Amino acid sequence: MPKNETKTREELSRKLLNKLSATDKKPNQVFSLARLPLFHFFHRLWHIIFIIPILPFVSGFHFILILRRIFSSKPVFRTENCYGKKGNLITVKYFNTSTFSNLALFYYVVSGKLNLIGYSMNTQREIGDAFIYDYAPGAINLWYIRSASRTAYEGIKETDKEFVSNLLLKAELNPSLISFIRLVKAEFLLFIRFLVARAFRSLQKVKYLPHLIDPIFLFNTRLRNVSMQQTLEQIKNTINNRDYLSSTPTRRKIYFVNPDCFNKTFAQANADYRKILTESSPSDWIFADGIGINIAVDMLGYPKNENINGTDLLPRLVELAAENNFSLFLLGAREGIADKMKESLTSTYPELNIKGVQHGYFNWETESAGIVERINALKVDILLVAFGAPYQERWLEKWFPHLNCSIAIGVGGLFDFYSGRIKRAPRWLRDIGLEWVYRLLMEPRRMFHRYIIGNPLFLSRVKHIQKTAAWLTSKIKKASKKHDLQIIDFSQLGIIKERHTALVDIFPLMADFCVQRQIPVCLLADSEADARKCNRNLSLIFPELMFLPKMPAEKNIFCLIISSSLNNPEMEILKTENYHAICLIDKRFISEFKQITILD
Ligand code: UDP
């Protein structure tokens, strides 16, 4: 292609993209791309040809649902609204099932209301934000794929824009056969990514939890569950509050955990690391990173928000720091790596203030005090520590009280990525949660144990947690048959200690069981106020679960009691009056759930 022509196209593309952004501000101004009828005709044709083999399956499924409708009162469809062509609100029907409900959308692809692959069908988007476009949304879309791997950090609007500008617009600017083939190929690859995303989504076990909550729990560790945007806002607030309210400074350590980190906590030599994670103060934050964790919390019934990891956080954190004049110090990695990272970051963000760097191969016993003094003298806001887990966590536990920075983050091998020493997986691979495959290919020797042995081991350990929940529910089932009071002290249970789990980890599974069996739950907290707060939160999180605000007057109703201690005064009443109940003693459960935040 002649150079001039490329340039003209680039200019045209830039103009169109600008015009497209302008439509966000003027919702009524519709940017019509329907001026390429032949191109559009073939584009639609390929979608229809693609779904023809699927349609008999859809109709078969539909037929079974109609039969079910005859024998039960369950309707065949449920309806939802979304924004269609030109931002008009449209109503679409889904099959009224827990799985394969989206199959009904294929009918709309045939009718033209939807595309097979397109921008998102989200209903939450405001009209001003809508991608007002003369093109239907897609039953399969990038937003869905990224949400499944919890990597849709950019939000719906930006994700839609990315899809439209990278795929559709590029092709429509140049409606030739080659660009059509490229578009079909890109859409086909998106379809494959959708299948992987769909497989991850289907692992979700407890489906009735309607809200995202923060925190969630895994291996007795409190994991923050906020979005990328919320994380950045809270980091900003931490640093700013510290400036203005210095009498009550909040300083935070931030750690990331992945399946490998949890595997490490099972080694006797890392008992201290395990303690750091399980006994972390609520002012410190632990974020869970990786598809392994997404699968694990899905298996345990906790809905997971975005995947917050050091590598995705860093560019956004650096942008935040540059905008707000927050200073940084880079500590860790091999000699020269932190310098390279500084160079590369400051070339992208010239206003960024990286006050100092220090490699991580110093004597941690003898030289740490001097390095801490140096960091303190520089008065930095954010300290990044890159020694790898659990070394950075150990170092920070020891030295954070002596540091004066607002935020210290343990970032593992992050400097190696941002200095360019190791390449990061491409976005499409990260979108489907397979970044680890790329890392394995890049460093097979080092990563073999971590991923090939570590991932299945981690999942088997999560499976053990599920089994613990099953063991407990079988205890509850047995107890419900005997008319007496059974008390189980969680802190004394060998099975719980051995599996590094806790009641907070398995509660969604237990709650699911109690909903199905209609077993009410009653909380005995240290104070009435605690019980009230906890009850309120739990009834929002588990709306189908029955909570008794007080001990049941009717002693014959079997219930599950959770008490914060064996010495609770009401425990005596329970024992003397011989209640028909199973009572779990757990000191952490109520204190955690009383503070939980419901995010949506
Ligand atoms: N590292 C260090 N000092 C040490 C040992 C390791 O600074 O004594 C650095 C190492 O150069 C690497 C990082 O710590 O940059 C660990 O990277 P890894 O990928 O193992 O960490 P992960 O992200 O997996 O926790």
Side-chain angles (χ1 to χ4, degrees):
M1 186 189 304
K3 256 195 174 170
N4 274 353
E5 202 182 325
T6 322
K7 209 174 156 206
T8 324
R9 273 187 199 142
E10 270 171 16
E11 269 169 18
L12 185 61
S13 155
R14 213 169 303 126
K15 268 186 199 163
L16 283 170
L17 283 173
N18 287 341
K19 202 167 174 185
L20 214 53
S21 332
T23 59
D24 294 336
K25 287 167 204 126
K26 296 173 201 152
N28 296 327
Q29 184 187 338
V30 174
F31 175 53
S32 171
L33 287 170
R35 41 177 124 118
L36 309 154
L38 201 64
F39 191 85
H40 280 159
F41 171 77
F42 281 112
H43 190 207
R44 228 178 100 55
L45 191 66
W46 118 253
H47 282 188
I48 291 176
I49 291 173
F50 191 84
I51 61 166
I52 282 174
I54 306 170
L55 282 178
F57 180 65
V58 178
S59 335
F61 194 67
H62 191 170
F63 181 68
I64 294 169
L65 293 182
I66 292 171
L67 285 185
R68 187 183 73 170
R69 176 75 181 86
I70 296 169
F71 296 106
S72 77
S73 57
K74 267 198 159 180
V76 177
F77 294 107
R78 63 182 163 78
T79 52
E80 267 182 37
N81 293 329
C82 75
Y83 290 112
K85 279 184 190 176
K86 302 181 185 179
N88 293 329
L89 207 61
I90 55 169
T91 303
V92 285
K93 285 181 178 173
Y94 290 82
F95 288 135
N96 190 25
T97 51
S98 52
T99 43
F100 298 125
S101 61
N102 301 17
L103 278 184
L105 297 179
F106 287 107
Y107 289 141
Y108 296 102
V109 178
V110 180
S111 75
K113 214 175 193 181
L114 296 179
N115 267 316
L116 176 65
I117 294 155
Y119 58 89
S120 77
M121 292 179 56
N122 210 286
T123 40
Q124 287 161 12
R125 187 174 43 194
E126 283 171 27
I127 192 77
D129 275 352
F131 213 78
I132 298 172
Y133 191 54
D134 195 8
Y135 193 84
I140 292 169
N141 57 72
L142 190 58
W143 167 255
Y144 178 94
I145 295 168
R146 288 192 179 159
S147 309
S149 60
R150 278 85 169 183
T151 56
Y153 311 119
E154 293 83 359
I156 301 171
K157 187 178 157 189
E158 288 304 315
T159 310
D160 282 347
K161 251 190 194 173
E162 186 184 322
F163 169 80
V164 174
S165 50
N166 283 357
L167 269 81
L168 299 179
L169 205 58
K170 255 191 201 163
E172 296 198 8
L173 280 172
N174 175 22
S176 64
L177 183 65
I178 304 265
S179 68
F180 179 73
I181 292 169
R182 275 203 199 115
L183 176 65
V184 170
K185 186 180 143 206
E187 289 191 339
F188 181 74
L189 290 176
L190 209 86
F191 178 76
I192 303 287
R193 275 151 77 188
F194 162 79
L195 291 183
V196 181
R198 185 71 196 72
F200 283 132
R201 278 239 166 149
S202 65
L203 288 170
Q204 197 151 339
K205 278 278 175 309
V206 179
K207 294 199 165 65
Y208 71 92
L209 274 190
H211 299 289
L212 275 177
I213 54 171
D214 171 50
I216 54 173
F217 302 90
L218 180 64
F219 291 110
N220 200 10
T221 303
R222 185 191 308 106
L223 301 172
R224 295 235 52 205
N225 198 29
V226 284
S227 68
M228 182 66 86
Q229 209 42 49
Q230 288 162 331
T231 306
L232 291 166
E233 260 163 44
Q234 293 181 8
I235 289 179
K236 185 175 160 187
N237 289 343
T238 303
I239 301 173
N240 283 337
N241 286 345
R242 198 165 170 242
D243 277 350
Y244 304 122
L245 304 168
S246 52
S247 56
T248 51
T250 312
R251 303 172 60 235
R252 301 185 195 288
K253 298 188 271 324
I254 300 181
Y255 299 143
F256 298 97
V257 284
N258 55 29
D260 183 52
C261 298
F262 279 122
N263 282 341
K264 280 175 182 157
T265 64
F266 279 79
Q268 197 49 45
N270 291 330
D272 60 335
Y273 180 40
R274 187 183 160 204
K275 211 166 156 206
I276 294 172
L277 298 185
T278 56
E279 295 178 15
S280 73
S281 134
S283 65
D284 294 333
W285 297 339
I286 302 176
F287 288 102
D289 166 25
I291 194 76
I293 305 268
N294 293 353
I295 296 173
V297 291
D298 276 353
M299 282 164 74
L300 299 176
Y302 277 119
K304 177 84 162 55
N305 205 332
E306 288 172 8
N307 183 44
I308 311 292
N309 59 78
T311 334
D312 285 315
L313 177 69
L314 187 87
R316 295 163 173 93
L317 180 74
V318 164
E319 215 174 293
L320 180 88
E323 272 168 20
N324 293 278
N325 202 20
F326 298 151
S327 57
L328 276 93
F329 190 100
L330 312 181
L331 170 63
R334 291 186 204 159
E335 203 159 353
I337 297 290
D339 297 272
K340 269 197 191 156
M341 172 158 156
K342 178 180 172 179
E343 237 170 69
S344 118
L345 290 179
T346 41
S347 72
T348 321
Y349 304 96
E351 333 77 85
L352 186 66
N353 185 4
I354 298 182
K355 285 192 171 168
V357 296
Q358 162 68 46
H359 67 78
Y361 289 80
F362 57 91
N363 186 323
W364 290 340
E365 288 300 317
T366 57
E367 294 176 57
S368 291
I371 289 172
V372 166
E373 223 170 88
R374 204 180 120 209
I375 298 169
N376 285 346
L378 291 169
K379 291 202 170 64
V380 293
D381 296 309
I382 304 166
L383 168 67
L384 303 185
V385 185
F387 300 156
Y391 308 105
Q392 61 211 10
E393 286 79 6
R394 280 188 188 131
W395 192 89
L396 276 172
E397 284 304 305
K398 182 166 176 194
W399 292 102
F400 190 68
H402 306 282
L403 282 158
N404 65 9
C405 56
S406 298
I407 304 258
I409 316 182
V411 290
L414 183 82
F415 296 3
D416 296 318
F417 289 116
Y418 280 93
S419 63
R421 197 181 81 79
I422 300 175
K423 262 183 88 182
R424 215 187 160 192
R427 178 79 200 246
W428 66 266
L429 211 54
R430 284 186 267 146
D431 280 351
I432 49 173
L434 294 181
E435 181 165 20
W436 63 273
V437 174
Y438 186 85
R439 286 201 75 186
L440 180 67
L441 292 175
M442 289 288 121
E443 297 178 275
R445 270 181 178 214
R446 203 164 80 88
M447 296 298 159
F448 181 82
H449 193 269
R450 185 180 293 191
Y451 295 132
I452 301 298
I453 305 203
N455 283 353
L457 186 64
F458 171 77
L459 289 178
S460 76
R461 284 171 168 155
V462 178
K463 198 89 198 138
H464 279 140
I465 301 184
Q466 270 187 328
K467 281 188 191 154
T468 313
W471 170 83
L472 197 61
T473 50
S474 77
K475 283 249 167 213
I476 299 174
K477 230 188 281 174
K478 272 187 207 150
S480 71
K481 285 175 192 148
K482 283 194 229 150
H483 276 256
D484 59 6
L485 175 73
Q486 198 180 339
I487 300 175
I488 300 178
D489 187 347
F490 249 72
S491 61
Q492 300 304 320
L493 282 178
I495 188 173
I496 296 289
K497 284 187 192 159
E498 191 191 302
R499 293 176 180 179
H500 291 200
T501 184
L503 185 58
V504 281
D505 296 341
I506 57 177
F507 194 68
L509 296 179
M510 303 254 314
D512 192 20
F513 170 80
C514 290
V515 168
Q516 281 165 28
R517 299 249 158 184
Q518 296 185 322
I519 299 171
V521 176
C522 177
L523 304 176
L524 303 182
D526 290 339
S527 74
E528 227 177 84
D530 283 359
R532 222 178 304 121
K533 270 190 217 159
C534 191
N535 256 321
R536 193 186 151 271
N537 284 345
L538 286 173
S539 42
L540 290 172
I541 300 167
F542 304 100
E544 294 180 40
L545 192 58
M546 221 184 332
F547 285 98
L548 302 173
K550 279 189 181 144
M551 292 292 303
E554 177 55 73
K555 284 176 232 157
N556 287 330
I557 297 175
F558 177 73
C559 67
L560 169 70
I561 297 170
I562 300 174
S563 172
S564 51
S565 98
L566 255 175
N567 304 324
N568 194 301
E570 278 169 290
M571 286 294 297
E572 280 313 307
I573 308 171
L574 281 178
K575 282 190 227 163
T576 49
E577 305 230 342
N578 201 19
Y579 264 84
H580 177 32
I582 184 161
C583 181
L584 308 179
I585 311 292
D586 186 272
K587 68 174 187 320
R588 191 167 180 195
F589 182 85
I590 293 176
S591 64
E592 290 294 349
F593 274 91
K594 83 173 187 210
Q595 299 185 58
I596 225 151
T597 312
I598 291 155
L599 296 174
D600 49 10

